[in-house]
Amino acid sequence: MFETLETHMCFGGSLKICRHPSAATGTGMRFSVFTPAGPGPFPVLTFLSGLTCTEENFTVKAGAYKKAAELGLMIVAPDTSPRGDGVANDAAYDLGQGAGFYVDATEAPWAPHFNMYSYITRDLQDILFAQFPGDRKRQGISGHSMGGHGALTLALRNPDLYRSVSAFAPIVSPSTVPWGEKALAAYLGPDQSRWRAHDACCLLADGVGRGAFDDILIDQGSADNFLEPQLQPHLFTQAAAEAGQKVTLRLQEGYDHSYYFISTFMDDHLEFHAQRL
Amino acid sequence: MFETLETHMCFGGSLKICRHPSAATGTGMRFSVFTPAGPGPFPVLTFLSGLTCTEENFTVKAGAYKKAAELGLMIVAPDTSPRGDGVANDAAYDLGQGAGFYVDATEAPWAPHFNMYSYITRDLQDILFAQFPGDRKRQGISGHSMGGHGALTLALRNPDLYRSVSAFAPIVSPSTVPWGEKALAAYLGPDQSRWRAHDACCLLADGVGRGAFDDILIDQGSADNFLEPQLQPHLFTQAAAEAGQKVTLRLQEGYDHSYYFISTFMDDHLEFHAQRL
């Protein structure tokens, strides 16, 4: 059953925290949604968060809603994994609850619930357009870190769903960095050929999403502790150049991995999406 | 010893979380400070938070730093009380740690540490201008709920320190509402004549701060659960009318007591202060 847990007026629109059952995850899933003032239908931006986050981090920290209200943009921020007592977990912050990686897991103990790919692209869609005045035909997707990985891979694989894509400090090559290697091995098993559909650089190399996006905007802080060990955005610009995909990668001098970085450049991303929706 | 616990680049400036020893509270006190880009000196806005808050709530939720960067405004957000194992506390959310009420306590067990009035107006001042490029002569103060009470009372009593004052959903008459009656009785004792110096309506009636402020801006949400039982801003506009003090009270239809309300009107308050600093 769809539930609205909180409603707050915000910049003339409404901010709601909701929960609904997902067939993909077999759990109740939480998300926040900002709806501008007016009847709609509104273009919709989905924002996917990073490791350890819930739907709350973007919602309270990103400072996105003033510009979203101006642009008439709905913004949806889902949780990053299934949660609950009956759901598998791991003591590490980068696996299990809070670390869904936007894949459909095939391996034990994750397979029954860790199906965030299907959750975001199917179940969340269904509830969004049944309950809110979004325009299903005008959707964009963005995200941060693990959520940037999610935004890039979901967009490239679903250009019929998403017409614009951007990311903040994304994991672009999960097959070759520690966070991704650990998560993809756990969720998808050791056969790396099955990882390619969840690796933005591999998707570009495989021609997935070719021609769908006129540009992809990526902001990356130069003082981000994860830049070298986990993120390496140059791998994405290299793969994009080889695939003929335009990418605007902006290295932001002095910025780190936090929401202080995200909030600084949020308005640019919202305008990037609004121009394309 | 002054310590910088975190530094983040944010809207071209810097956001720091700091800790320093306070003689007034006898404890280490935390605050956040946003400093715009450039050498300064910058006008300074102190923002006092409400019950249960720390320095973090405003810092991550208010969405103030984009406009502050544009206006060249430093913003300081201190914690709401002394804290720690040796500091008195109460199981209720509205007394003790997280509920300092910006007074200097005279009663046991609070007196040794609960001296937030002297902390904000003296010790925080000293460290701010020793460590940051603020302009001591151009300061404003604002706050939310209990912190709105703090802003109004500290400003009226210290017009030499603060040249502008505003508040979001402030407690204006603590002597006559449950939150204030409980806290002032605990911190200052049962003699209500000693409460007057910490009650914004009484200060106006007593002529304290007369002529110091050309206007006082107050925003109040109409859907705020605390409006009737705790806040009652009409008591302040009545007292102000009798005292000849201009107050701009804006009742914001549909808004509640949360940071979604505060963030919506934050830029208006920053501009109000910047015009006067």
mmCIF file of all heavy atoms in Angstrom, chain A residues 92-122:
data_model
loop_
_atom_site.group_PDB
_atom_site.id
_atom_site.type_symbol
_atom_site.label_atom_id
_atom_site.label_comp_id
_atom_site.label_asym_id
_atom_site.label_seq_id
_atom_site.Cartn_x
_atom_site.Cartn_y
_atom_site.Cartn_z
ATOM 1 N N ALA A 92 30.158 -4.247 6.352
ATOM 2 C CA ALA A 92 30.867 -3.162 5.653
ATOM 3 C C ALA A 92 29.874 -2.145 5.124
ATOM 4 O O ALA A 92 28.726 -2.467 4.817
ATOM 5 C CB ALA A 92 31.694 -3.731 4.516
ATOM 6 N N TYR A 93 30.340 -0.894 4.986
ATOM 7 C CA TYR A 93 29.455 0.173 4.508
ATOM 8 C C TYR A 93 29.210 0.071 3.015
ATOM 9 O O TYR A 93 28.276 0.679 2.489
ATOM 10 C CB TYR A 93 30.045 1.552 4.819
ATOM 11 C CG TYR A 93 31.202 1.945 3.925
ATOM 12 C CD1 TYR A 93 31.007 2.762 2.820
ATOM 13 C CD2 TYR A 93 32.477 1.467 4.164
ATOM 14 C CE1 TYR A 93 32.064 3.106 1.986
ATOM 15 C CE2 TYR A 93 33.538 1.806 3.338
ATOM 16 C CZ TYR A 93 33.325 2.614 2.250
ATOM 17 O OH TYR A 93 34.361 2.941 1.416
ATOM 18 N N ASP A 94 30.051 -0.692 2.310
ATOM 19 C CA ASP A 94 29.997 -0.677 0.843
ATOM 20 C C ASP A 94 29.412 -1.953 0.247
ATOM 21 O O ASP A 94 29.631 -2.275 -0.918
ATOM 22 C CB ASP A 94 31.379 -0.376 0.253
ATOM 23 C CG ASP A 94 32.458 -1.335 0.751
ATOM 24 O OD1 ASP A 94 32.139 -2.250 1.550
ATOM 25 O OD2 ASP A 94 33.616 -1.161 0.330
ATOM 26 N N LEU A 95 28.633 -2.687 1.062
ATOM 27 C CA LEU A 95 27.941 -3.876 0.560
ATOM 28 C C LEU A 95 26.665 -4.061 1.370
ATOM 29 O O LEU A 95 26.636 -3.783 2.564
ATOM 30 C CB LEU A 95 28.837 -5.119 0.699
ATOM 31 C CG LEU A 95 28.348 -6.375 -0.041
ATOM 32 C CD1 LEU A 95 28.394 -6.165 -1.554
ATOM 33 C CD2 LEU A 95 29.193 -7.588 0.351
ATOM 34 N N GLY A 96 25.609 -4.510 0.710
ATOM 35 C CA GLY A 96 24.362 -4.786 1.416
ATOM 36 C C GLY A 96 23.514 -3.536 1.574
ATOM 37 O O GLY A 96 23.473 -2.686 0.681
ATOM 38 N N GLN A 97 22.829 -3.444 2.714
ATOM 39 C CA GLN A 97 21.891 -2.338 2.912
ATOM 40 C C GLN A 97 22.620 -0.994 2.859
ATOM 41 O O GLN A 97 23.640 -0.795 3.498
ATOM 42 C CB GLN A 97 21.130 -2.529 4.224
ATOM 43 C CG GLN A 97 20.270 -3.793 4.187
ATOM 44 C CD GLN A 97 19.397 -3.996 5.410
ATOM 45 O OE1 GLN A 97 18.910 -3.044 6.001
ATOM 46 N NE2 GLN A 97 19.189 -5.262 5.779
ATOM 47 N N GLY A 98 22.099 -0.078 2.059
ATOM 48 C CA GLY A 98 22.754 1.204 1.802
ATOM 49 C C GLY A 98 23.725 1.165 0.642
ATOM 50 O O GLY A 98 24.371 2.161 0.332
ATOM 51 N N ALA A 99 23.838 0.016 -0.024
ATOM 52 C CA ALA A 99 24.844 -0.162 -1.082
ATOM 53 C C ALA A 99 24.308 -1.056 -2.196
ATOM 54 O O ALA A 99 24.940 -2.019 -2.614
ATOM 55 C CB ALA A 99 26.125 -0.766 -0.488
ATOM 56 N N GLY A 100 23.126 -0.724 -2.699
ATOM 57 C CA GLY A 100 22.471 -1.595 -3.673
ATOM 58 C C GLY A 100 23.078 -1.596 -5.068
ATOM 59 O O GLY A 100 22.858 -2.515 -5.851
ATOM 60 N N PHE A 101 23.828 -0.558 -5.396
ATOM 61 C CA PHE A 101 24.569 -0.457 -6.668
ATOM 62 C C PHE A 101 23.687 -0.509 -7.916
ATOM 63 O O PHE A 101 24.175 -0.634 -9.030
ATOM 64 C CB PHE A 101 25.698 -1.510 -6.749
ATOM 65 C CG PHE A 101 27.014 -0.980 -6.264
ATOM 66 C CD1 PHE A 101 27.322 -0.985 -4.902
ATOM 67 C CD2 PHE A 101 27.926 -0.430 -7.147
ATOM 68 C CE1 PHE A 101 28.534 -0.459 -4.457
ATOM 69 C CE2 PHE A 101 29.142 0.096 -6.720
ATOM 70 C CZ PHE A 101 29.448 0.075 -5.352
ATOM 71 N N TYR A 102 22.379 -0.438 -7.754
ATOM 72 C CA TYR A 102 21.457 -0.287 -8.887
ATOM 73 C C TYR A 102 21.576 -1.431 -9.900
ATOM 74 O O TYR A 102 21.535 -1.228 -11.101
ATOM 75 C CB TYR A 102 21.638 1.100 -9.523
ATOM 76 C CG TYR A 102 21.513 2.176 -8.459
ATOM 77 C CD1 TYR A 102 22.637 2.813 -7.929
ATOM 78 C CD2 TYR A 102 20.273 2.496 -7.925
ATOM 79 C CE1 TYR A 102 22.527 3.751 -6.907
ATOM 80 C CE2 TYR A 102 20.155 3.435 -6.903
ATOM 81 C CZ TYR A 102 21.289 4.053 -6.411
ATOM 82 O OH TYR A 102 21.173 4.969 -5.386
ATOM 83 N N VAL A 103 21.775 -2.654 -9.342
ATOM 84 C CA VAL A 103 21.798 -3.881 -10.162
ATOM 85 C C VAL A 103 20.680 -4.802 -9.691
ATOM 86 O O VAL A 103 20.068 -4.590 -8.645
ATOM 87 C CB VAL A 103 23.150 -4.619 -10.035
ATOM 88 C CG1 VAL A 103 24.312 -3.681 -10.408
ATOM 89 C CG2 VAL A 103 23.357 -5.193 -8.629
ATOM 90 N N ASP A 104 20.410 -5.839 -10.481
ATOM 91 C CA ASP A 104 19.550 -6.933 -10.028
ATOM 92 C C ASP A 104 20.464 -8.095 -9.651
ATOM 93 O O ASP A 104 21.100 -8.714 -10.518
ATOM 94 C CB ASP A 104 18.596 -7.365 -11.149
ATOM 95 C CG ASP A 104 17.450 -6.369 -11.351
ATOM 96 O OD1 ASP A 104 17.286 -5.459 -10.509
ATOM 97 O OD2 ASP A 104 16.736 -6.504 -12.352
ATOM 98 N N ALA A 105 20.550 -8.393 -8.365
ATOM 99 C CA ALA A 105 21.482 -9.411 -7.887
ATOM 100 C C ALA A 105 21.033 -10.801 -8.334
ATOM 101 O O ALA A 105 19.834 -11.119 -8.349
ATOM 102 C CB ALA A 105 21.585 -9.354 -6.366
ATOM 103 N N THR A 106 22.015 -11.625 -8.676
ATOM 104 C CA THR A 106 21.740 -13.017 -9.060
ATOM 105 C C THR A 106 22.294 -13.999 -8.036
ATOM 106 O O THR A 106 22.002 -15.192 -8.113
ATOM 107 C CB THR A 106 22.396 -13.327 -10.415
ATOM 108 O OG1 THR A 106 23.806 -13.024 -10.334
ATOM 109 C CG2 THR A 106 21.771 -12.494 -11.536
ATOM 110 N N GLU A 107 23.085 -13.516 -7.088
ATOM 111 C CA GLU A 107 23.815 -14.400 -6.177
ATOM 112 C C GLU A 107 23.225 -14.372 -4.770
ATOM 113 O O GLU A 107 22.682 -13.353 -4.337
ATOM 114 C CB GLU A 107 25.293 -13.966 -6.098
ATOM 115 C CG GLU A 107 25.975 -13.859 -7.453
ATOM 116 C CD GLU A 107 25.929 -15.164 -8.227
ATOM 117 O OE1 GLU A 107 26.521 -16.150 -7.746
ATOM 118 O OE2 GLU A 107 25.278 -15.206 -9.304
ATOM 119 N N ALA A 108 23.387 -15.504 -4.058
ATOM 120 C CA ALA A 108 23.016 -15.577 -2.648
ATOM 121 C C ALA A 108 24.027 -14.775 -1.823
ATOM 122 O O ALA A 108 25.208 -14.764 -2.173
ATOM 123 C CB ALA A 108 22.998 -17.033 -2.182
ATOM 124 N N PRO A 109 23.620 -14.148 -0.726
ATOM 125 C CA PRO A 109 22.249 -14.083 -0.201
ATOM 126 C C PRO A 109 21.474 -12.885 -0.733
ATOM 127 O O PRO A 109 20.431 -12.544 -0.181
ATOM 128 C CB PRO A 109 22.504 -13.916 1.297
ATOM 129 C CG PRO A 109 23.722 -13.037 1.347
ATOM 130 C CD PRO A 109 24.581 -13.462 0.174
ATOM 131 N N TRP A 110 21.958 -12.254 -1.795
ATOM 132 C CA TRP A 110 21.417 -10.955 -2.214
ATOM 133 C C TRP A 110 20.224 -11.045 -3.160
ATOM 134 O O TRP A 110 19.387 -10.131 -3.216
ATOM 135 C CB TRP A 110 22.533 -10.120 -2.863
ATOM 136 C CG TRP A 110 23.796 -10.123 -2.063
ATOM 137 C CD1 TRP A 110 24.957 -10.784 -2.343
ATOM 138 C CD2 TRP A 110 24.012 -9.491 -0.795
ATOM 139 N NE1 TRP A 110 25.894 -10.584 -1.350
ATOM 140 C CE2 TRP A 110 25.329 -9.792 -0.385
ATOM 141 C CE3 TRP A 110 23.214 -8.680 0.031
ATOM 142 C CZ2 TRP A 110 25.867 -9.322 0.813
ATOM 143 C CZ3 TRP A 110 23.754 -8.215 1.216
ATOM 144 C CH2 TRP A 110 25.067 -8.536 1.599
ATOM 145 N N ALA A 111 20.181 -12.133 -3.945
ATOM 146 C CA ALA A 111 19.219 -12.202 -5.044
ATOM 147 C C ALA A 111 17.753 -11.924 -4.658
ATOM 148 O O ALA A 111 17.042 -11.247 -5.413
ATOM 149 C CB ALA A 111 19.337 -13.537 -5.762
ATOM 150 N N PRO A 112 17.275 -12.373 -3.531
ATOM 151 C CA PRO A 112 15.836 -12.186 -3.313
ATOM 152 C C PRO A 112 15.402 -10.725 -3.238
ATOM 153 O O PRO A 112 14.265 -10.416 -3.595
ATOM 154 C CB PRO A 112 15.578 -12.875 -1.961
ATOM 155 C CG PRO A 112 16.755 -13.747 -1.726
ATOM 156 C CD PRO A 112 17.913 -13.142 -2.454
ATOM 157 N N HIS A 113 16.257 -9.843 -2.720
ATOM 158 C CA HIS A 113 15.812 -8.464 -2.463
ATOM 159 C C HIS A 113 16.603 -7.398 -3.217
ATOM 160 O O HIS A 113 16.062 -6.330 -3.495
ATOM 161 C CB HIS A 113 15.891 -8.168 -0.961
ATOM 162 C CG HIS A 113 15.021 -9.048 -0.122
ATOM 163 N ND1 HIS A 113 13.649 -9.018 -0.179
ATOM 164 C CD2 HIS A 113 15.325 -10.002 0.790
ATOM 165 C CE1 HIS A 113 13.143 -9.900 0.667
ATOM 166 N NE2 HIS A 113 14.142 -10.517 1.273
ATOM 167 N N PHE A 114 17.871 -7.637 -3.525
ATOM 168 C CA PHE A 114 18.736 -6.563 -4.051
ATOM 169 C C PHE A 114 18.562 -6.416 -5.560
ATOM 170 O O PHE A 114 19.433 -6.750 -6.349
ATOM 171 C CB PHE A 114 20.193 -6.815 -3.642
ATOM 172 C CG PHE A 114 20.457 -6.398 -2.220
ATOM 173 C CD1 PHE A 114 20.015 -7.174 -1.163
ATOM 174 C CD2 PHE A 114 21.101 -5.202 -1.939
ATOM 175 C CE1 PHE A 114 20.212 -6.785 0.155
ATOM 176 C CE2 PHE A 114 21.310 -4.793 -0.629
ATOM 177 C CZ PHE A 114 20.868 -5.583 0.422
ATOM 178 N N ASN A 115 17.400 -5.859 -5.908
ATOM 179 C CA ASN A 115 17.049 -5.684 -7.322
ATOM 180 C C ASN A 115 16.721 -4.225 -7.588
ATOM 181 O O ASN A 115 15.637 -3.875 -8.062
ATOM 182 C CB ASN A 115 15.868 -6.610 -7.655
ATOM 183 C CG ASN A 115 16.243 -8.067 -7.442
ATOM 184 O OD1 ASN A 115 17.238 -8.540 -7.991
ATOM 185 N ND2 ASN A 115 15.481 -8.770 -6.620
ATOM 186 N N MET A 116 17.694 -3.398 -7.322
ATOM 187 C CA MET A 116 17.475 -1.949 -7.414
ATOM 188 C C MET A 116 17.364 -1.486 -8.865
ATOM 189 O O MET A 116 16.753 -0.452 -9.135
ATOM 190 C CB MET A 116 18.601 -1.197 -6.691
ATOM 191 C CG MET A 116 18.547 -1.319 -5.181
ATOM 192 S SD MET A 116 17.034 -0.585 -4.444
ATOM 193 C CE MET A 116 17.336 1.170 -4.712
ATOM 194 N N TYR A 117 17.956 -2.220 -9.792
ATOM 195 C CA TYR A 117 17.798 -1.864 -11.210
ATOM 196 C C TYR A 117 16.320 -1.922 -11.600
ATOM 197 O O TYR A 117 15.765 -0.965 -12.155
ATOM 198 C CB TYR A 117 18.632 -2.797 -12.090
ATOM 199 C CG TYR A 117 18.504 -2.475 -13.559
ATOM 200 C CD1 TYR A 117 19.327 -1.524 -14.145
ATOM 201 C CD2 TYR A 117 17.540 -3.094 -14.360
ATOM 202 C CE1 TYR A 117 19.208 -1.197 -15.485
ATOM 203 C CE2 TYR A 117 17.401 -2.776 -15.696
ATOM 204 C CZ TYR A 117 18.235 -1.823 -16.258
ATOM 205 O OH TYR A 117 18.099 -1.502 -17.582
ATOM 206 N N SER A 118 15.692 -3.030 -11.293
ATOM 207 C CA SER A 118 14.262 -3.157 -11.616
ATOM 208 C C SER A 118 13.400 -2.244 -10.756
ATOM 209 O O SER A 118 12.365 -1.742 -11.204
ATOM 210 C CB SER A 118 13.800 -4.613 -11.441
ATOM 211 O OG SER A 118 14.390 -5.412 -12.431
ATOM 212 N N TYR A 119 13.839 -2.015 -9.522
ATOM 213 C CA TYR A 119 13.072 -1.111 -8.679
ATOM 214 C C TYR A 119 13.013 0.297 -9.281
ATOM 215 O O TYR A 119 11.943 0.886 -9.417
ATOM 216 C CB TYR A 119 13.641 -1.051 -7.252
ATOM 217 C CG TYR A 119 12.986 0.053 -6.469
ATOM 218 C CD1 TYR A 119 11.630 -0.032 -6.139
ATOM 219 C CD2 TYR A 119 13.671 1.212 -6.127
ATOM 220 C CE1 TYR A 119 10.990 1.002 -5.482
ATOM 221 C CE2 TYR A 119 13.034 2.255 -5.467
ATOM 222 C CZ TYR A 119 11.691 2.141 -5.150
ATOM 223 O OH TYR A 119 11.049 3.173 -4.521
ATOM 224 N N ILE A 120 14.169 0.817 -9.665
ATOM 225 C CA ILE A 120 14.206 2.203 -10.159
ATOM 226 C C ILE A 120 13.535 2.314 -11.534
ATOM 227 O O ILE A 120 12.775 3.258 -11.789
ATOM 228 C CB ILE A 120 15.663 2.710 -10.254
ATOM 229 C CG1 ILE A 120 16.350 2.677 -8.891
ATOM 230 C CG2 ILE A 120 15.707 4.111 -10.877
ATOM 231 C CD1 ILE A 120 15.824 3.644 -7.887
ATOM 232 N N THR A 121 13.812 1.361 -12.404
ATOM 233 C CA THR A 121 13.330 1.514 -13.788
ATOM 234 C C THR A 121 11.895 1.010 -13.969
ATOM 235 O O THR A 121 11.283 1.306 -14.985
ATOM 236 C CB THR A 121 14.248 0.762 -14.782
ATOM 237 O OG1 THR A 121 14.319 -0.621 -14.416
ATOM 238 C CG2 THR A 121 15.656 1.364 -14.780
ATOM 239 N N ARG A 122 11.364 0.274 -13.021
ATOM 240 C CA ARG A 122 10.013 -0.264 -13.189
ATOM 241 C C ARG A 122 9.087 0.122 -12.020
ATOM 242 O O ARG A 122 8.136 0.878 -12.202
ATOM 243 C CB ARG A 122 10.073 -1.794 -13.319
ATOM 244 C CG ARG A 122 8.760 -2.424 -13.734
ATOM 245 C CD ARG A 122 8.826 -3.943 -13.571
ATOM 246 N NE ARG A 122 8.913 -4.329 -12.179
ATOM 247 C CZ ARG A 122 9.368 -5.508 -11.725
ATOM 248 N NH1 ARG A 122 9.813 -6.423 -12.578
ATOM 249 N NH2 ARG A 122 9.402 -5.767 -10.430
#
